Each structure stands twice: as structure tokens, then as C-alpha cells.
């Protein structure tokens, strides 16, 4: 998910973000790790996330969807098929491990004891960190879909290498997604219906959200073209909440995405009548919604409006 372009001066915005971050740490909502954008979560913060998840699930397709849960790492072979490395090399995280000999281990330890980098003794493992909760799901559907396609409920941790002061831009965060794989019409209908429903979910929590056309943060010069295409073809709509007043255009807390035939093509998924499958997903950014609630209703959860508390903590 992107945070849209800034309108305030950078220093004001940076200060507002740093202030909010410090408030969250002082209130023991987040736990500092020493790495920008990587936090532990307190019990209070987790209770908010769990409450948000209950509300999201209640608005979702329920037992009509196939529930799937994946670890925060998935096979490199599936990662290859997402094409993520082409568009987002700067956000990628790949797992490396040691597979050398005793002699090489001794070299590694000697370098380490000299205070030198030892990573060069590691080599790629067969796993990559999940960057979008839906990515590990597609490989399972290679081949022809059943009649009516698939509707999935996927929830998990995502990694994006974005060290930032803004607590809303975490390196590791959870997304609860509802994913549709089927015909072009199925996918478009899924995406469109979730813009409205997503706004209702956020509104029911007292959040003032706006639907805005958006693009992913594609890398480099070629990426700028992809971003323009994504916007002109209206493939991505973000539901944003202003965490920093007028200093920026808001933070995306929900993202509604049409992938068109991208995953159908790369994972070899077809509809019953042999067409390349289309897919779409809506992703609820759990930490970002929790932060939007804290920003909107205050850092003391006990003082939140009764109606919001009743929704989150029934
Ligand atoms: Zn997705």
C-alpha cells in the first residue's frame, strides 16, 4: 500500500510522524526494536488488531470463502511467478542461510570476530518473505478453476523493506485479504464491491475514510510507466485516512486491487472454459487501521467512543 504524495512541507510532516511514533512508544502500544519500521506489539495494540479483525471478518464473505493461512515466508518458485522482483526489488526480502563446510564456518566466525560482515558466507534458501498476503495462495490454483471460480480469505504477515519514521509504514505488518479468482467480470465485481463495503467497515469504526485512485510504488523508470498505467486503467483504489491532518493526503488503510490476468498468466490459472483467469483482492492493513483508530480516538482505548468500543470489543 502506498501513502500518497505529500502536500505539507517535509519537515513538518516528518515531525508529525516522529511525534506520533514517540507517543505510541511512550504509551507502550508499540515496542521499539532498534530497526526503523520494525516494532513489537503490546497486548493493548494486539487487542485493537484482534477487534478490527473481528469487524473485518464480520463484513466478509464468511463460509462462502475458502480460509487459507500461510507462514510469513513462501517458496521462491511462487515468488518468481509473482514478478515482484521486477516491480519492487527495493521492497523484497529473501531468506539466506549457511550451507557451507566446517572450514567455511570457521572463516565466517573469524570474520565475525573481527567485526566484519559475514553475510557473504550465506547463500539463498528456497524461501522468500511474503510481500502481500495473497501471494502464497495462487500456486494452489494452477490449472482450471472450478465453476464459479474461487473466493479466498487469507490473513498473514507481510514484509516490505521500507525503513521509515512513520509508524504507519512498518516493515512487517498484517493484511487480511479477500481474494477472488475467476472471470474478468468476477474479479472486477469483487474489487468494486469492496470499495463501498470497505468504506462502511471503516465508517462503523468512526474513521473518516476516502476512496482514492492509487498506484503501487513500482521501482525505477520502467516502474513509473506501470504506475501511470495502473492509475489510468483504474486498477487500484485505496481507502485512506488522514493521520497527519493536512500535512499529507492520507494513509492507505485498505487497498482494493484488480490484477487483471497477471497472476492467472504467471501461475497458469484458467477459468472452466479455458480463459486465463483474472484476480482481484481487497487487503485490510491491520496495523494501519489500528493506528488510524489511535490517531482518531486517542491513545487511551478506554476513552474511545462507546459505539466504537462495542464494535471492537463485544
Ligand atoms: Zn492481494
Amino acid at each position: 500500500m502506498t501513502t500518497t504524495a505529500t502536500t505539507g512541507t517535509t519537515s513538518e510532516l516528518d515531525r508529525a510522524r516522529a511525534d506520533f511514533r514517540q507517543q505510541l512508544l511512550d504509551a507502550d502500544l508499540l515496542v521499539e526494536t532498534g530497526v526503523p519500521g520494525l516494532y513489537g506489539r503490546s497486548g493493548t495494540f494486539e487487542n485493537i488488531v484482534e477487534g478490527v479483525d473481528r469487524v473485518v471478518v464480520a463484513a466478509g464473505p464468511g463460509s462462502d470463502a475458502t480460509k487459507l493461512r500461510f507462514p510469513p515466508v513462501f517458496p521462491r518458485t511462487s515468488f518468481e511467478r509473482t514478478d515482484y522482483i521486477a516491480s519492487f526489488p527495493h521492497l523484497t526480502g529473501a531468506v539466506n542461510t549457511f550451507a557451507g563446510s566446517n572450514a567455511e564456518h570457521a572463516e565466517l566466525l573469524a570474520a565475525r570476530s573481527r567485526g566484519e560482515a559475514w553475510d557473504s558466507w550465506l547463500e539463498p534458501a528456497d524461501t522468500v518473505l511474503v510481500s502481500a498476503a495473497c501471494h502464497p495462495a495462487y500456486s494452489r490454483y494452477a490449472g482450471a478453476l472450478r465453476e464459479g471460480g474461487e473466493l479466498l480469505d487469507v490473513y498473514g504477515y507481510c514484509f516490505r523493506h521500507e525503513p521509515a519514521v512513520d509508524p504507519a509504514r512498518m516493515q512487517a505488518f498484517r493484511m487480511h485479504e479477500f481474494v477472488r479468482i475467476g472471470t474478468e467480470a468476477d474479479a472486477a465485481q469483487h474489487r468494486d464491491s469492496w470499495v463501498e463495503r470497505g468504506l462502511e467497515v471503516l465508517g462503523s469504526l468512526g474513521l473518516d475514510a476516502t476512496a482514492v485512485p492509487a498506484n503501487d510504488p513500482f521501482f525505477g523508470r520502467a516502474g513509473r510507466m506501470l504506475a501511470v498505467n495502473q492509475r489510468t486503467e483504474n486498477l487500484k483504489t485505496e481507502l485512506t485516512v488522514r493521520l497527519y491532518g493536512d500535512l499529507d493526503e492520507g494513509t492507505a488503510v485498505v487497498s482494493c486491487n484488480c490484477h487483471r490476468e497477471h497472476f492467472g498468466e504467471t501461475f497458469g490459472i484458467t477459468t472452466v472454459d479455458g480463459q486465463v483467469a483474472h484476480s482481484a483482492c481487497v487487503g485490510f492493513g491491520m496495523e494501519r487501521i489500528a493506528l488510524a483508530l489511535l490517531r482518531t480516538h486517542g491513545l487511551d482505548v478506554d476513552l474511545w467512543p462507546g459505539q466504537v468500543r462495542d464494535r471492537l470489543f463485544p
Side-chain angles (χ1 to χ4, degrees):
M1 284 193 261
T2 53
T3 302
T4 41
T6 58
T7 48
T9 66
T10 309
S11 61
E12 267 180 292
L13 182 57
D14 283 351
R15 212 173 309 125
R17 288 167 167 169
D19 283 350
F20 184 36
R21 180 181 177 279
Q22 197 55 51
Q23 288 167 17
L24 293 161
L25 296 173
D26 291 346
D28 282 331
L29 287 156
L30 294 180
V31 180
E32 194 155 25
T33 67
V35 170
L38 189 67
Y39 302 95
R41 280 75 163 156
S42 71
T44 306
F45 192 88
E46 278 307 287
N47 288 342
I48 300 170
V49 167
E50 283 167 22
V52 170
D53 197 49
R54 267 193 297 273
V55 174
V56 168
V57 167
S63 59
D64 289 346
T66 303
K67 188 169 169 176
L68 291 171
R69 298 294 181 265
F70 295 95
V73 293
F74 76 127
R76 191 175 281 268
T77 48
S78 289
F79 174 77
E80 284 291 357
R81 290 195 161 138
T82 64
D83 278 340
Y84 197 81
I85 196 68
S87 299
F88 311 102
H90 56 311
L91 305 180
T92 298
V95 176
N96 285 341
T97 191
F98 179 78
S101 62
N102 276 325
E104 284 161 333
H105 186 221
E107 289 171 21
L108 181 160
L109 291 180
R112 178 169 170 260
S113 66
R114 292 192 299 270
E116 294 168 12
W118 43 265
D119 311 65
S120 57
W121 279 274
L122 302 187
E123 55 189 84
D126 50 9
T127 45
V128 175
L129 277 68
V130 171
S131 25
C134 64
H135 283 178
Y138 298 107
S139 67
R140 185 175 187 226
Y141 298 100
L145 292 169
R146 59 182 169 181
E147 181 81 49
E150 294 290 343
L151 177 59
L152 312 177
D153 167 331
V154 190
Y155 186 28
Y157 259 101
C158 308
F159 172 84
R160 291 182 197 172
H161 184 248
E162 294 189 282
V165 170
D166 185 359
R169 192 169 288 284
M170 292 187 180
Q171 297 206 47
F173 56 91
R174 280 159 288 185
M175 269 166 65
H176 201 140
E177 292 199 29
F178 302 117
V179 186
R180 187 81 169 95
I181 316 174
T183 64
E184 182 173 6
D186 292 338
Q189 195 272 337
H190 181 74
R191 200 288 297 264
D192 294 347
S193 72
W194 272 106
V195 172
E196 242 357 271
R197 220 180 315 171
L199 286 172
E200 279 165 24
V201 166
L202 298 173
S204 78
L205 296 174
L207 297 177
D208 184 9
T210 313
V212 293
N215 60 266
D216 285 308
F218 295 103
F219 181 80
R221 205 174 307 144
R224 278 199 287 279
M225 284 293 290
L226 291 172
V228 168
N229 289 346
Q230 198 178 25
R231 271 181 189 256
T232 49
E233 291 180 46
N234 189 28
L235 298 180
K236 187 178 189 74
T237 303
E238 290 180 334
L239 311 186
T240 64
V241 176
R242 285 180 183 260
L243 301 192
Y244 304 108
D246 292 335
L247 292 179
D248 69 7
E249 288 167 1
T251 298
V253 299
V254 177
S255 171
C256 307
N257 308 286
C258 258
H259 317 126
R260 303 193 57 79
E261 308 101 315
H262 180 70
F263 293 125
E265 229 156 55
T266 60
F267 284 93
I269 310 170
T270 59
T271 60
V272 265
D273 48 10
Q275 305 288 313
V276 176
H278 282 240
S279 61
C281 67
V282 54
F284 287 82
M286 305 308 291
E287 280 78 3
R288 283 193 176 181
I289 296 174
L291 292 172
L293 287 164
L294 289 160
R295 199 66 175 161
T296 303
H297 303 307
L299 297 181
D300 189 343
V301 178
D302 292 336
L303 301 180
W304 286 7
Q307 220 179 336
V308 174
R309 288 185 51 83
D310 290 348
R311 294 274 292 153
L312 290 169
F313 316 113

